[in-house]
Amino acid sequence: MPILELKDISVSYPNCDAPVLQLPRLQIGQGEAVAILGPSGSGKTTLVSIISGLEYPATGSVCWDGINLNTLPEAQKDQWRAENIGLVMQDFHLYPGLSAFENILLPARFRYWHLPRELKRKASDLLDRIDVHTGARPIEKLSRGEMQRVAVARALLMSPPVLIADEPTASLDVTNGEQVIELLLDLVKEQQMTLLAVTHDRRLAGRMTRCLTLENGRLIKDGVNETERDFT
Amino acid sequence: MIPFSILRADFRRLWAGAFILSILIMAATALNITVSLEERAMRLGSARAAEPFDLIVGAPGSETQLVLSSVFLQPALLPLLPAHYSQRLEQHPLVAWSAPLAFGDFYLEMPIIGTTGTLITQGGQRPLAAGHPFSAPFEAVVGFSTGLKVGETIKPLHGQFGQEGAHAHDKIIYTVVGMLPKQNNAWDKAILVPIETIWHVHDIEEDSRHDDDDPDIAVEDHPYQNLAHKTGVSAIVVKPKSVAGAYQLRTQFRSGNSIAVFPAEVLTRLYGLLGNVRHLLSVIAWGTQLLVGLCVILVAVVHVNQRKRQIAALRAFGAPRHALFIVVWFEFVTLVLAGIAAGMLLGYWAAQIISTQIAAQSGFALPVEMATEDWWNMLQWLVIATAASLAPAALIYRHSPAQALRD
């Protein structure tokens, strides 16, 4: 039973002649760990935007567990995203001036007038889990590795069924990159989540169950662990 | 669902910009408030200062100058009115009391005014703060803020120090015998002496005996030439017995050889003129505020555009658009509110300082009072600023999070 189903997707931008993304059909099952590979400009980030409901395709449908995102009003889509998608990005997008703890709780603060105690406890547990003990220190004072671990913890706070990671190791050194990969995979496994990771990192792609390769906005390969050959 | 932690973090992180914007708003608001308060203080102060002067009679000339010289003790060229007008008014059946005024001498920049005991006690109605009214030549009663005390002596100066023709009356010494109660007007710095002494000092009585010229009018050729060689007075303060009597007196003394004015009436005309100035100042102040407002909106728009990626990321994490809109709007409204509140305080404080300085220099009290009009003005600005802050915040609805994250 697929958790995500894309049909006849086509995305075009005003200045481009050809569609930047064209996917006749794509299905992803629950609990899958999928690497999305491809050179720059191949449509990976656009695919992430489409499946996370940040962008509308010109044609086609994006269905998550039977819900067609294209039919949801903007406010409901925000809510759906908050409840179902955990996002980890290359640039972390942590809020400067806030501590690691406050950053983990930030998306939840937009949803609750008064944060439930369980969420605070969970944020605290996640901090222990990612081994970041920086107290009230502002997030911008942390190392890049620590920052990306905090971003992973933030994505997991609401226990979303799906985690989407866009180049989670691209801006990290080897050691920090490996730490983040381990953390990401361990937590996804613990929480039985579906993981979609856009990556150029062979170490991460090699640990995924399935690899999708995009080129010029089209899916050219869909298979298991063929990373060595497909990376550019 | 506004994460106040974000507001705190933003203000801490962007404190310098926020501070400068608040200062701009504060300065524009303060300017507006100060202009409004000072203009009102000027009106209230002058109206209160004129209260004791129901009717003033003087020689034909500028009515405004007559009021400014006799109520606010502003030295100026005043034609003299023959002294017999004073006697006529004292005996007039419609007059409760009247007193002549003769200007010309000074002591340490404070005017020495020749008058009678009637003015000092205002027809027996006003007790002194200290001492007693003068009862002999060369006695003086001083205003509350002259710094002089009963028993002290002063030597008058004809004219003001540094002016052409000014000279000391070396042989004349006045002894302070009384002190007027505080009046919060220019008279607090006045020194009152018997008018006969003024005439004597300037040999007026003697000269007038030999003068066969027109007995009615003598025009001064010097601001302080009250001392022209005629027996004359600069003005006569009249307290009519009734309102109807005041109007009758005004009619009777508006003949060709004298003028009679209600200071309040002259001040009203002056306010008409000041009103135009006030309008001009208000337009400048409002214009400044408008420019600052536009500047704040411009900064706000630039700021929101610079935060596009940050806001897009929050959207991507599931933050609702309306919550982000409120966060941005709330930040600007907080800045504007802080600026306006601080501006009101600063404006009020500046007006107080200006009034205090004017009062210290002239003895003329300018009461600084907030009126309903000021609160309404500020409320109006708050509403406009709150509404204007919606514009930059509304940009959030126009930004595509996916596009912003790609940029």
Side-chain angles (χ1 to χ4, degrees):
Chain A
M1 174 76 182
I3 189 173
L4 170 67
E5 187 164 18
L6 283 81
K7 275 188 197 162
D8 302 324
I9 294 293
S10 173
V11 180
S12 301
Y13 294 141
N15 298 332
C16 302
D17 297 334
V20 291
L21 186 67
Q22 227 169 3
L23 289 174
R25 189 177 179 83
L26 176 66
Q27 289 185 335
I28 290 170
Q30 187 161 5
E32 275 193 273
V34 182
I36 302 170
L37 313 170
S40 296
S42 60
K44 302 187 298 293
T45 302
T46 305
L47 177 61
V48 165
S49 294
I50 295 288
I51 60 182
S52 57
L54 287 169
E55 201 164 353
Y56 287 103
T59 60
S61 63
V62 181
C63 289
W64 276 102
D65 223 3
I67 298 168
N68 186 348
L69 292 190
N70 297 357
T71 62
L72 290 182
E74 203 66 28
Q76 277 184 37
K77 209 155 59 175
D78 288 339
Q79 186 162 359
W80 171 85
R81 196 163 45 245
E83 289 166 359
N84 293 282
I85 303 284
L87 268 173
V88 179
M89 299 189 209
Q90 179 181 345
D91 295 332
F92 324 135
H93 287 292
L94 295 161
Y95 209 91
L98 297 183
S99 65
F101 182 69
E102 275 303 322
N103 261 288
I104 293 173
L105 286 172
L106 186 57
R109 287 204 186 274
F110 281 101
R111 295 278 154 196
Y112 296 95
W113 282 110
H114 186 70
L115 275 183
R117 201 170 289 169
E118 304 81 65
L119 275 182
K120 288 186 181 174
R121 196 177 303 124
K122 187 168 181 195
S124 192
D125 291 345
L126 280 166
L127 273 178
D128 286 339
R129 183 71 180 76
I130 63 174
D131 199 24
V132 171
H133 304 284
T134 50
R137 203 189 311 165
I139 198 76
E140 61 271 23
K141 308 270 184 198
L142 272 57
S143 71
R144 294 184 71 78
E146 284 174 323
M147 283 198 248
Q148 190 61 301
R149 288 187 339 248
V150 172
V152 171
R154 176 184 58 192
L156 297 173
L157 179 76
M158 303 295 279
S159 305
V162 180
L163 186 71
I164 298 176
D166 188 0
E167 303 281 10
T169 56
S171 62
L172 304 178
D173 58 31
V174 175
T175 316
N176 278 312
E178 277 169 3
Q179 274 183 2
V180 167
I181 290 169
E182 291 304 323
L183 180 71
L184 205 55
L185 294 172
D186 286 354
L187 289 171
V188 163
K189 194 173 173 187
E190 279 169 25
Q191 299 194 19
Q192 298 177 326
M193 301 161 80
T194 302
L195 173 64
L196 300 175
V198 172
T199 186
H200 282 97
D201 192 329
R202 293 164 190 234
R203 293 165 302 175
L204 177 60
R207 305 279 297 272
M208 307 298 261
T209 55
R210 183 176 167 193
C211 291
L212 305 175
T213 307
L214 293 175
E215 200 173 281
N216 294 326
R218 286 176 174 76
L219 185 64
I220 55 163
K221 274 196 177 71
D222 183 355
V224 180
N225 273 338
E226 296 181 22
T227 55
E228 291 296 324
R229 202 179 58 209
D230 293 333
F231 270 64
T232 54
Chain B
M1 287 183 285
I2 304 170
F4 287 99
S5 50
I6 282 194
L7 302 181
R8 258 200 322 273
D10 281 348
F11 281 127
R12 239 190 332 237
R13 192 163 47 93
L14 308 167
W15 70 269
F19 179 72
I20 289 168
L21 276 189
S22 294
I23 293 283
L24 273 177
I25 298 166
M26 180 182 77
T29 309
L31 178 67
N32 200 312
I33 282 281
T34 307
V35 166
S36 173
L37 288 178
E38 275 308 302
E39 186 274 335
R40 189 179 305 114
M42 193 70 83
R43 257 189 301 134
L44 278 175
S46 55
R48 284 177 192 172
E51 262 172 17
F53 302 87
D54 291 344
L55 183 68
I56 293 171
V57 177
S62 163
E63 293 185 358
T64 307
Q65 194 52 63
L66 180 63
V67 171
L68 290 178
S69 294
S70 42
V71 175
F72 303 107
L73 302 180
Q74 294 297 307
L77 283 163
L78 265 192
L80 291 177
L81 185 69
H84 65 77
Y85 275 88
S86 183
Q87 288 150 14
R88 253 180 76 190
L89 278 160
E90 274 171 31
Q91 290 153 11
H92 202 288
L94 294 172
V95 173
W97 58 265
S98 73
L101 302 177
F103 307 118
D105 287 355
F106 287 86
Y107 172 71
L108 297 179
E109 306 292 315
M110 293 182 283
I112 295 176
I113 301 158
T115 186
T116 61
T118 310
L119 183 80
I120 292 166
T121 61
Q122 300 205 324
Q125 301 294 309
R126 178 169 66 177
L128 297 194
H132 56 81
F134 46 68
S135 53
F138 304 106
E139 287 187 344
V141 171
V142 295
F144 194 82
S145 307
T146 54
L148 295 166
K149 293 191 178 81
V150 173
E152 287 187 282
T153 56
I154 57 170
K155 275 187 182 178
L157 181 76
H158 174 55
Q160 277 179 295
F161 182 74
Q163 283 188 333
E164 193 182 343
H167 59 271
H169 296 296
D170 286 334
K171 293 177 182 169
I172 309 297
I173 295 174
Y174 290 111
T175 304
V176 178
V177 296
M179 185 188 287
L180 293 172
K182 187 153 182 66
Q183 300 167 83
N184 289 318
N185 58 31
W187 288 76
D188 283 340
K189 287 203 164 179
I191 297 165
L192 310 186
V193 298
I195 194 164
E196 296 83 2
T197 309
I198 292 275
W199 287 332
H200 173 73
V201 167
H202 299 93
D203 275 336
I204 289 175
E205 285 171 324
E206 189 184 338
D207 281 348
S208 64
R209 279 200 298 275
H210 302 292
D211 200 327
D212 295 329
D213 290 343
D214 175 5
D216 265 3
I217 296 293
V219 178
E220 295 179 348
D221 56 4
H222 181 282
Y224 313 107
Q225 295 257 344
N226 199 356
L227 338 156
H229 297 251
K230 303 261 190 279
T231 307
V233 298
S234 307
I236 303 167
V237 179
V238 182
K239 183 78 180 174
K241 285 180 177 165
S242 65
V243 176
Y247 280 92
Q248 283 183 48
L249 283 166
R250 188 177 68 149
T251 310
Q252 285 175 22
F253 284 86
R254 281 176 88 94
S255 64
N257 293 329
S258 65
I259 55 169
V261 296
F262 295 134
E265 200 176 54
V266 174
L267 287 175
T268 306
R269 283 206 300 270
L270 214 56
Y271 297 154
L273 178 69
L274 284 176
N276 294 334
V277 178
R278 189 233 172 176
H279 182 69
L280 178 70
L281 286 174
S282 294
V283 168
I284 293 170
W286 277 76
T288 311
Q289 218 157 343
L290 190 71
L291 281 178
V292 168
L294 288 174
C295 166
V296 171
I297 291 174
L298 178 74
V299 170
V301 168
V302 171
H303 175 70
V304 170
N305 276 323
Q306 280 179 341
R307 288 179 69 183
K308 235 170 22 178
R309 267 173 72 78
Q310 189 181 50
I311 290 165
L314 289 172
R315 284 286 314 280
F317 301 136
R321 266 195 307 195
H322 71 264
L324 290 169
F325 169 84
I326 291 172
V327 165
V328 173
W329 178 71
F330 196 83
E331 286 183 352
F332 287 120
V333 167
T334 306
L335 277 187
V336 171
L337 272 177
I340 289 180
M344 284 188 76
L345 286 175
L346 179 68
Y348 186 78
W349 181 70
Q352 289 275 20
I353 298 243
I354 292 169
S355 289
T356 308
Q357 281 190 344
I358 291 176
Q361 281 166 10
S362 67
F364 175 37
L366 295 173
V368 176
E369 293 172 9
M370 290 289 280
T372 317
E373 182 195 347
D374 299 316
W375 297 111
W376 275 113
N377 266 345
M378 288 306 106
L379 191 66
Q380 209 174 323
W381 272 113
L382 275 182
V383 171
I384 292 171
T386 306
S389 304
L390 294 173
L395 287 176
I396 285 171
Y397 281 90
R398 295 198 57 200
H399 292 156
S400 150
Q403 178 67 46
L405 287 171
R406 260 199 305 271
D407 287 343

